[in-house]
């Protein structure tokens, strides 16, 4: 199996889907000649031409609306946001149009569109460029939200997203683009709505997604050295949530820690806790603990930026808390 | 020049104190003798004074934090003087001799309830009402009854709950006005000293609506407060579920118990606040011979020996067992016994009865032991580290057996009181001890304890010293015995008393002199009048 960077896996998925279906096109700022702000669309302009790899001006609301209109009439657009922070300008098209067209038209219109781009803290980009906005989009009915952690999942989920008949939000980890991993060649599909047990364990479940998965792995290794066996469930899709996988891991370990990069209030993690307590209450041996970003705007200073985000020590502490081993 | 203000020793036993509140802020001018902070010691809340004039340059120990006696809590100096970050620590040793506060000499037995500590980590929603330390030995208390319910208005000084300590049942007062926003510790549950038992919403009740800290998180987070600086181990001390109280068990543990027919009240929880978790159930299942056996002990079938019944130790028994285990190997005891002829003393009792004054043998012994103490003050001492405290007053404890154990209320100034006063006081104290209604200052302190098992027909016995006292008198029954007087065998009413002394501070000869005096007083009770 080839080892690819996260950005290469996305590029491969785009290329394969554009090969497979002539209705698929990519639009966004600098996706063409510059080959993508994060080089996801490298080589695609030469390969598919400027009619399908479209450089848009700085006009998020405009080119997103163009994508929504195209989807309404049968094309399958992929709209690249330079970052999800900028997509806030296009919220009206995403939330009021894409998410609701099928409902508002009584099922007569479909909107098979993918909105994708990087989210989360990027490394000293400060508060307007470092937001983990997944809970914002996961809030709206009519949208699907995926957030892959590994290159393989990035490829598989993007292919599923492009083939989906509904609008899909794909939030990529801004700091994951250069991360390498094995990626199956050719037809590799990861179904939307299916979580993945990335690490098997028996004492406690950590439920997470995207970049936070790597901190969880680091924490799990430390905890393993202390004799604590950790299971890591990577949600991969945040809407719809894989309730069965969440409940299955809690049934197995009876204790859970939910880790997310975003803010604590109304986070996706809060929804996961709700699922656990309302449907898995009798399997719980301790209250579920959440690890989230701090409830503040992201700092520019590197030390503060790190302090604001979850990390392995915070996750280790949370696991010990949920195992009643604090101070042990 | 900048000098540190140090944590003073505000009680004889204090090793560290908590800054409850700063009464001055950085930059404020302070004068010598002015109170600058409020400090919670092991016994009560007291003010810390400045010993110099100057400006409060830096607060080293913030509110809610502990500081060792002698360590710097703030830096005093000239206006605008710079103090570097390490200045506090660097300056500490230089001024060490100043640490001794003049108040140190006053033994402060009154264990005033701990005033509000720092807001618990569980959330800043309202003012915490904490489990006060209602006796010097109390580490936790059981909430017997809430006198207010959530939503009720409370005023400062108003009793809001009744608490069972290791010694008695006492009321917990509110120290603020407000609304009882949330009850954290339910009736029947235990709480560590210093842990919040409820939260008040401040005046106006605006905060009452704020979401209270998650129930599971709040008590846990606040638990470290009471213990000194040692690492808190709340789970180790997890109390067993109290009969009638709320039983804490995880949902999983409850389900497992239900499915396996296990009675949860028989399982000891290892989680926070005694919460029963999966591993406790698994342990219980491996220990129990059959689930049915653990459920409810039915009448034993013929030929089957019933299992012993396990009952969790009471707060009082726990303290007694701890203290006795500490004092017996820790304090080198010596024992002296003497037979006392009680004929004359008993005659006094008969005469008192004729005067319709109830005086017991024990009252006479208390009076005599107190007068003997006054005459032999070397017995009236207590060892505290490298210091011997010589008490100025003679306060005699009387051991009272109650349902859960033993308590020793004190008759203050027993040497100066008449027999009928001692008698009335002893009866009142004993009765309230049995009802667990004694106040802390009624059983704290004391010079010597009189432990009398005569009424049970015990001829003589040896008692264990009740720390921090240095002696205890074990009194046996009065019985007719044949003795030789002037070469003749005569019958006398004899009573054996045994003095147990702390050999670190009392020598055998001193103890013997004391006993001789006691014997003399009892055999010639007229001397009790002089």
């Amino acid at each position: 199996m080839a080892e690819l960077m996260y950005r290469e896996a996305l590029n491969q998925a785009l290329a394969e889907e554009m090969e497979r279906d002539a209705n698929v096109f990519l639009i966004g700022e600098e996706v063409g000649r510059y080959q993508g702000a994060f080089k996801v669309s490298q080589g695609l302009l030469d390969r598919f031409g400027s009619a399908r790899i479209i450089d848009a001006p700085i006009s998020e609301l405009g080119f997103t609306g163009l994508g929504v209109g195209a989807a309404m009439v049968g094309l399958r657009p992929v709209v690249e946001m330079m970052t999800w922070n900028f997509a806030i300008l296009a919220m009206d098209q995403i939330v009021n149009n894409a998410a609701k067209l099928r409902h508002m038209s009584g099922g007569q219109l479909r909107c098979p569109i993918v909105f994708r781009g990087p989210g989360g803290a990027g490394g000293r980009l400060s508060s307007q460029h470092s937001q983990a906005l997944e809970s914002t989009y996961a809030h709206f009915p009519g949208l699907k939200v995926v957030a892959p952690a590994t290159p393989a999942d990035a490829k598989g989920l993007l292919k599923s997203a492009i083939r989906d008949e509904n609008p899909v939000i794909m939030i990529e980890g801004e700091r994951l683009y250069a991360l390498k991993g094995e990626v199956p060649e050719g037809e590799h599909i990861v179904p939307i709505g299916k979580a993945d047990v990335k690490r098997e364990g028996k004492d406690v479940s950590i439920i997470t997604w995207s970049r936070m998965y790597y901190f969880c792995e680091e924490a799990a290794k430390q905890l393993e050295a202390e004799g604590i066996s950790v299971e890591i469930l990577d949600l991969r899709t945040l809407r719809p949530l894989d309730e069965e996988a969440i409940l299955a891991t809690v049934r197995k370990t009876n204790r859970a820690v939910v880790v997310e990069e975003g803010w604590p209030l109304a986070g996706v993690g809060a929804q996961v806790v709700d699922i656990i307590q309302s449907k898995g209450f009798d399997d719980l041996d301790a209250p579920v603990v959440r690890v989230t970003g701090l409830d503040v705007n992201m700092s520019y200073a590197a030390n503060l930026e790190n302090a604001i985000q979850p990390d392995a020590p915070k996750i280790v502490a949370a696991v010990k808390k949920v195992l009643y081993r604090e101070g042990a | 020049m900048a000098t540190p203000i140090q944590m003073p020793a505000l009680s004889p036993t204090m090793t560290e104190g908590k800054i409850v509140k700063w009464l001055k802020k950085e930059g404020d001018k302070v004068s010598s003798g002015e109170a600058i902070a409020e400090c919670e010691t092991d016994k009560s809340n007291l003010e810390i004074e400045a010993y110099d004039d100057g400006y409060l340059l830096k607060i080293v120990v913030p509110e809610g934090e502990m500081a060792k006696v002698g360590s710097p809590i703030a830096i005093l100096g000239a206006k605008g003087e710079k103090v570097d970050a390490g200045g506090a620590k660097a300056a500490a040793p230089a001024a060490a001799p100043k640490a001794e506060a003049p108040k140190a000499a006053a033994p402060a037995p009154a264990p005033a309830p701990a005033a509000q500590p720092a807001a618990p980590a569980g959330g800043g929603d309202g003012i915490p009402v904490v489990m006060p330390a209602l006796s010097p030995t109390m580490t936790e208390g059981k909430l017997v009854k809430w006198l207010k319910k959530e939503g009720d208005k409370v005023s400062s000084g108003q009793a809001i709950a009744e608490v069972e300590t290791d010694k008695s049942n006492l009321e917990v007062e509110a120290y603020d006005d407000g609304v009882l926003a949330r009850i954290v510790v339910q009736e029947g549950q235990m709480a560590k000293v210093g842990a919040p038992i409820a939260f008040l919403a401040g005046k106006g009740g605006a905060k009452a609506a704020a979401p209270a800290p998650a129930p599971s998180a709040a008590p846990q987070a606040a638990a470290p407060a009471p213990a000194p600086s040692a690492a808190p181990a709340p789970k180790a001390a997890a109390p067993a579920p109290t009969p009638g109280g709320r039983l804490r068990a995880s949902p999983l543990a409850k389900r497992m118990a239900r499915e396996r027919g296990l009675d949860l009240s028989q399982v000891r929880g290892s989680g926070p606040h005694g919460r029963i978790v999966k591993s406790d159930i698994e342990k219980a299942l491996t220990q129990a011979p059959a689930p049915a056996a653990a459920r409810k002990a039915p009448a034993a079938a013929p030929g089957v020996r019933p299992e012993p019944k396990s009952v969790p130790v009471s707060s009082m028994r726990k303290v007694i067992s701890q203290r006795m285990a500490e004092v017996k190997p820790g304090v080198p005891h010596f024992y002296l016994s003497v037979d006392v002829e009680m004929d004359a003393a008993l005659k006094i009792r008969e005469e008192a009865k004729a005067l319709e004054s109830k005086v017991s043998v024990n009252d006479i012994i208390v009076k005599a032991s107190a007068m003997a103490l006054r005459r032999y003050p070397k017995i009236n001492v207590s060892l505290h580290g490298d210091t011997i405290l010589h008490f100025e007053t003679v306060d005699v404890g009387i051991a009272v057996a109650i349902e859960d154990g033993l308590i020793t209320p004190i008759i203050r100034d027993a040497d100066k009181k008449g027999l009928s006063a001692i008698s009335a006081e002893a009866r009142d104290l004993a009765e309230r001890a049995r009802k667990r209604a004694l106040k802390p200052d009624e059983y704290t302190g004391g010079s010597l304890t009189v432990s009398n098992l005569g009424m049970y027909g015990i001829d003589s016995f040896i008692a264990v010293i009740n720390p921090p006292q240095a002696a205890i008198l074990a009194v046996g029954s009065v019985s007719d015995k044949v003795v030789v007087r002037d070469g003749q065998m005569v019958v006398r009413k004899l009573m054996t008393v045994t003095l147990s002394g702390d050999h670190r501070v009392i020598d055998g000869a001193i103890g013997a002199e004391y006993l001789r005096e006691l014997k003399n007083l009892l055999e010639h009770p007229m001397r009790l009048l002089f």
Side-chain angles (χ1 to χ4, degrees), chain A residues 202 251-255 281-287 321 323-326 328, chain B residues 216-217 220 232 235 250-253 255 258 270-272 275-279:
Chain A
K202 58 182 174 52
R251 263 198 302 277
K252 185 174 170 189
T253 65
N254 309 120
R255 293 173 192 244
F281 187 70
D282 285 336
D283 294 312
L284 278 180
D285 210 13
K321 186 173 179 189
L323 285 168
Y324 302 150
R325 294 201 195 179
E326 287 162 291
Chain B
S216 58
Q220 217 171 309
K235 63 183 169 184
S250 76
L252 175 66
R255 195 192 74 194
R258 200 170 52 235
S270 65
R275 183 184 296 156
I276 300 165
V277 296
K278 183 182 171 185
S279 56

Side-chain angles (χ1 to χ4, degrees), chain B residues 405-449:
Chain B
L406 187 79
I407 191 160
T408 53
I410 312 281
I411 298 179
R412 308 264 170 208
D413 296 316
D415 59 324
K416 294 178 188 155
K417 285 180 180 158
L419 280 174
S420 60
I422 289 176
S423 171
E425 204 172 314
R427 265 202 312 273
D428 170 57
L429 288 170
E431 196 180 315
R432 284 191 295 117
R434 286 186 197 101
K435 288 183 187 161
R436 308 201 71 169
L438 291 174
K439 292 197 269 299
D441 61 347
E442 291 176 317
Y443 52 74
T444 313
S447 319
L448 166 139
T449 296

Side-chain angles (χ1 to χ4, degrees), chain B residues 14 28 33 50 114 192 217 232 246 257 261 269 283 317 325 329 363 369 394 426 506:
Chain B
M14 175 177 170
D28 279 1
K192 295 263 175 213
R246 189 187 147 206
K283 207 157 99 187
R317 178 57 58 195
D363 298 332
S369 65
V394 174
I506 304 175

Side-chain angles (χ1 to χ4, degrees), chain A residues 79-100:
Chain A
V79 178
E80 179 175 305
M81 303 294 178
M82 195 176 282
T83 98
W84 275 104
N85 301 285
F86 303 164
I88 293 168
L89 287 161
M91 279 289 269
D92 184 56
Q93 285 296 347
I94 298 172
V95 167
N96 266 335
N97 290 332
K100 298 180 172 64

Side-chain angles (χ1 to χ4, degrees), chain B residues 146 148-152 154 178-183 198-200:
Chain B
W146 277 104
K148 295 276 170 188
K149 58 183 191 306
E150 288 183 0
D152 279 1
V154 297
V179 172
L180 187 62
R182 196 163 71 87
I183 287 173
F199 286 90
L200 294 186

Side-chain angles (χ1 to χ4, degrees), chain B residues 137 139-140 166-167 268 311-330 404-407 464-467:
Chain B
T137 51
T139 57
E140 57 182 357
D166 52 337
K167 297 226 164 51
R268 195 172 173 81
V311 178
V313 291
S314 66
S315 308
M316 177 177 275
R317 178 57 58 195
K318 196 189 275 181
V319 171
I320 291 174
S321 65
Q322 274 167 2
R323 304 233 297 164
M324 290 301 109
E326 278 164 22
V327 74
K328 198 70 206 304
D404 282 340
L406 187 79
I407 191 160
V464 179
I465 294 169
N466 178 25

